[in-house]
Short mmCIF file of all heavy atoms in Angstrom, two decimals:
data_model
loop_
_atom_site.label_atom_id
_atom_site.label_comp_id
_atom_site.label_asym_id
_atom_site.label_seq_id
_atom_site.Cartn_x
_atom_site.Cartn_y
_atom_site.Cartn_z
N TYR A 13 -13.89 -30.62 2.73
CA TYR A 13 -12.65 -30.03 2.24
C TYR A 13 -12.35 -30.67 0.90
O TYR A 13 -12.39 -31.90 0.77
CB TYR A 13 -11.48 -30.32 3.19
CG TYR A 13 -11.50 -29.49 4.44
CD1 TYR A 13 -11.79 -30.06 5.68
CD2 TYR A 13 -11.24 -28.12 4.39
CE1 TYR A 13 -11.79 -29.30 6.83
CE2 TYR A 13 -11.25 -27.35 5.55
CZ TYR A 13 -11.53 -27.95 6.77
OH TYR A 13 -11.54 -27.19 7.89
N VAL A 17 -12.76 -34.72 1.27
CA VAL A 17 -12.77 -34.97 2.71
C VAL A 17 -14.08 -34.47 3.30
O VAL A 17 -14.45 -33.32 3.12
CB VAL A 17 -11.60 -34.25 3.42
CG1 VAL A 17 -11.63 -34.54 4.91
CG2 VAL A 17 -10.28 -34.66 2.80
N ALA A 19 -15.26 -33.55 6.51
CA ALA A 19 -14.74 -33.30 7.86
C ALA A 19 -15.87 -33.34 8.88
O ALA A 19 -15.71 -33.84 9.98
CB ALA A 19 -14.00 -31.97 7.90
N PRO A 38 -11.78 -39.71 18.15
CA PRO A 38 -10.40 -39.99 17.77
C PRO A 38 -9.84 -38.90 16.86
O PRO A 38 -10.59 -38.08 16.33
CB PRO A 38 -10.49 -41.32 17.02
CG PRO A 38 -11.89 -41.39 16.54
CD PRO A 38 -12.72 -40.68 17.56
N SER A 39 -8.57 -38.91 16.72
CA SER A 39 -7.91 -37.95 15.85
C SER A 39 -8.51 -38.03 14.45
O SER A 39 -8.73 -39.11 13.92
CB SER A 39 -6.42 -38.27 15.82
OG SER A 39 -5.77 -37.32 15.03
N GLY A 40 -8.81 -36.88 13.86
CA GLY A 40 -9.41 -36.86 12.53
C GLY A 40 -10.92 -36.93 12.54
O GLY A 40 -11.55 -36.94 11.50
N ALA A 41 -11.54 -36.95 13.75
CA ALA A 41 -12.99 -37.09 13.84
C ALA A 41 -13.72 -35.81 13.43
O ALA A 41 -14.90 -35.86 13.08
CB ALA A 41 -13.38 -37.46 15.27
N GLY A 42 -13.04 -34.66 13.49
CA GLY A 42 -13.69 -33.41 13.10
C GLY A 42 -13.82 -32.40 14.23
O GLY A 42 -14.50 -31.38 14.07
N LYS A 43 -13.17 -32.66 15.37
CA LYS A 43 -13.28 -31.76 16.52
C LYS A 43 -12.76 -30.35 16.19
O LYS A 43 -13.43 -29.35 16.42
CB LYS A 43 -12.48 -32.32 17.71
CG LYS A 43 -12.84 -33.76 18.08
CD LYS A 43 -12.08 -34.25 19.29
CE LYS A 43 -10.58 -34.43 19.07
NZ LYS A 43 -10.24 -35.51 18.10
N THR A 44 -11.55 -30.33 15.65
CA THR A 44 -10.96 -29.02 15.34
C THR A 44 -11.78 -28.29 14.28
O THR A 44 -11.98 -27.08 14.35
CB THR A 44 -9.49 -29.20 14.89
OG1 THR A 44 -8.76 -29.77 15.97
CG2 THR A 44 -8.86 -27.88 14.49
N THR A 45 -12.27 -29.05 13.32
CA THR A 45 -13.10 -28.43 12.28
C THR A 45 -14.33 -27.77 12.90
O THR A 45 -14.67 -26.62 12.56
CB THR A 45 -13.54 -29.49 11.25
OG1 THR A 45 -12.37 -30.11 10.72
CG2 THR A 45 -14.35 -28.87 10.14
N1 LIG C 301 -7.75 -27.51 5.85
C1 LIG C 301 -8.04 -28.79 5.59
N2 LIG C 301 -7.97 -29.26 4.34
C2 LIG C 301 -8.28 -30.54 4.06
N3 LIG C 301 -8.65 -31.43 4.97
C3 LIG C 301 -8.73 -31.03 6.24
C4 LIG C 301 -8.43 -29.70 6.63
N4 LIG C 301 -8.58 -29.60 7.96
C5 LIG C 301 -8.98 -30.81 8.39
N5 LIG C 301 -9.06 -31.65 7.37
C6 LIG C 301 -9.49 -33.06 7.45
O1 LIG C 301 -10.75 -33.07 8.07
C7 LIG C 301 -10.86 -34.17 8.95
C8 LIG C 301 -11.15 -33.69 10.36
O2 LIG C 301 -10.01 -33.05 10.89
P1 LIG C 301 -9.99 -32.33 12.30
O3 LIG C 301 -11.20 -31.51 12.43
O4 LIG C 301 -8.68 -31.65 12.43
O5 LIG C 301 -10.07 -33.57 13.28
P2 LIG C 301 -9.69 -33.65 14.83
O6 LIG C 301 -9.46 -32.27 15.34
O7 LIG C 301 -10.85 -34.34 15.45
O8 LIG C 301 -8.46 -34.49 14.92
C9 LIG C 301 -9.54 -34.93 8.84
O9 LIG C 301 -9.70 -35.97 7.91
C10 LIG C 301 -8.59 -33.89 8.31
O10 LIG C 301 -7.57 -34.50 7.56
#
Side-chain angles (χ1 to χ4, degrees):
Chain A
Y13 285 110
V17 180
S39 182
K43 307 182 292 295
T44 298
T45 303

